Amino acid sequence: MTWQESEPGDDVRALLLAAKETDGRPEIEAGRPLPREFRGGLHLLARDTAADENADGSTDAGGREGRLVGYAHLDTGGDAFGNQVAEAIVHPAHRRHGHGARLVAEVLAKASPKLRIWSHGDHPAAARIAERYHLARVRELLKMRLDRRTDLPEPVWPDGVAVRTFIPGQDERELVAVNGRAFDWHPEQSQLTVADVEATERESWFDPAGFFLATSNEKIVGFHWTKTHPGDIGEVYVVGVDPRAQGGGLGRALTLAGLHHLRDKGLGDTILYVESDNAPAVAVYRRLGFTVAEKDVAYQR
């Protein structure tokens, strides 16, 4: 087990790509920077120095470094509530050998007392590790999916509200202010900065034509940021409404505007992520036809 502050190399990228092939996560692209959840902070590399078996059945020593079998990232900056946040991933070819438990033990020894560790897909093996180390299940993120064949109504906009698309270089600051008020309760989204938005504008998937802004008296009062994934999958990336404009159906109208945009692009199913205890948002999505596909769980000691 080796900790480092410098960004990991190609072996970690290869591990993350292998995990994506098996699990559908994380959202990493070959030749692109690491996903945001793996940037900065501390990186833990788990290597197996035992003999490795080659494709032809022969073996050779792993050497002083050994083969990378697991990786964990510790976000030392933490979320808005002072929790450090960890992700731990074992290479699909090296699972069921205890590497995951060893990664988590090492993270627990290194991290601050306030720590959250994610289990994507609510995997039973992660639940067993959490039980072993007395970690409590404290947060549940739903992944919901809308079948491409589901009929969609047209959006109905509240009086005095207009809709337009995002203009890079103009709307970042006002958008971040609205986002901060809409998500002041959220441990990650509340931390969005202008620099974060500008960095996302450089991502391969960013498309201002799919970033809808609702305005009243030319001031932004809500937004729907859509995203596209390989395989013709659309995503309701973020929907936010200024608290002063909530309660009039603006969130539903923005959601529908983005969904129609994704359909018009010829995409297939649409996904989104929502906190399980955000009852108003979950209710809106269920009424539109979304169903729960899987869950991500955060554990905390």
Side-chain angles (χ1 to χ4, degrees):
M1 296 282 183
T2 305
W3 286 98
Q4 64 183 52
E5 292 186 20
S6 57
E7 183 172 302
D10 291 340
D11 54 352
V12 168
R13 284 178 170 77
L15 184 150
L16 295 177
L17 286 166
K20 180 182 180 181
E21 182 71 21
T22 299
D23 308 326
R25 310 269 191 93
E27 292 181 13
I28 183 172
E29 300 178 55
R32 300 287 300 177
L34 288 174
R36 185 174 299 169
E37 64 266 30
F38 301 117
R39 299 176 195 170
L42 296 175
H43 307 269
L44 175 63
L45 279 63
R47 299 187 183 278
D48 186 353
T49 58
D52 290 328
E53 184 171 306
N54 299 318
D56 61 2
S58 63
T59 60
D60 49 46
R64 187 160 52 91
E65 276 201 338
R67 175 176 295 184
L68 185 71
V69 296
Y71 164 72
H73 176 260
L74 179 62
D75 178 0
T76 52
D79 63 22
F81 303 129
N83 301 295
Q84 291 188 343
V85 182
E87 303 265 356
I89 300 173
V90 176
H91 192 290
H94 298 279
R95 293 176 179 175
R96 298 180 181 272
H97 297 291
H99 299 310
R102 285 188 281 272
L103 280 169
V104 170
E106 195 74 17
V107 169
L108 289 169
K110 187 76 169 179
S112 69
K114 292 189 68 176
L115 171 71
R116 289 189 174 182
I117 305 179
W118 278 104
S119 165
H120 297 291
D122 194 11
H123 199 281
R128 290 192 294 270
I129 293 172
E131 184 178 8
R132 177 187 302 184
Y133 295 114
H134 309 290
L135 306 178
R137 185 183 180 111
V138 295
R139 186 177 169 197
E140 190 174 80
L141 190 65
L142 304 180
K143 179 181 180 181
M144 304 186 77
R145 182 178 290 265
L146 180 70
D147 188 280
R148 70 189 72 189
R149 296 163 296 185
T150 304
D151 291 333
L152 293 174
E154 292 297 322
V156 178
W157 300 99
D159 292 341
V161 171
V163 63
R164 63 176 177 84
T165 54
F166 180 85
I167 301 175
Q170 171 186 299
D171 292 324
E172 288 85 354
R173 193 167 299 280
E174 190 177 355
L175 169 80
V176 166
V178 172
N179 178 87
R181 292 191 292 272
F183 292 102
D184 61 354
W185 53 272
H186 197 280
E188 291 94 25
Q189 190 64 26
S190 62
Q191 296 182 303
L192 185 74
T193 66
V194 170
D196 292 332
V197 178
E198 291 172 340
T200 306
E201 290 171 20
R202 296 190 288 271
E203 296 284 354
S204 61
W205 58 265
F206 178 77
D207 179 11
F211 198 158
F212 298 92
L213 305 180
T215 63
S216 178
N217 297 321
E218 299 186 355
K219 297 293 185 181
I220 298 173
V221 293
F223 61 92
H224 180 181
W225 193 345
T226 69
K227 182 177 182 178
T228 58
H229 296 266
D232 294 333
I233 298 296
E235 181 179 347
V236 177
Y237 186 47
V238 189
V239 177
V241 176
D242 193 305
R244 292 171 290 189
Q246 291 176 1
L250 181 55
R252 175 184 168 89
L254 280 164
T255 301
L256 284 167
L259 290 173
H260 279 288
H261 166 77
L262 294 170
R263 288 277 180 89
D264 291 343
K265 290 184 68 174
L267 299 178
D269 291 357
T270 303
I271 62 170
L272 60 82
Y273 295 89
V274 61
E275 304 289 336
S276 64
D277 59 357
N278 186 353
V282 172
V284 167
Y285 298 138
R286 286 191 184 277
R287 285 195 293 270
L288 291 174
F290 282 88
T291 58
V292 175
E294 60 184 72
K295 300 175 183 178
D296 293 341
V297 175
Y299 291 96
Q300 184 162 357
R301 62 174 160 192

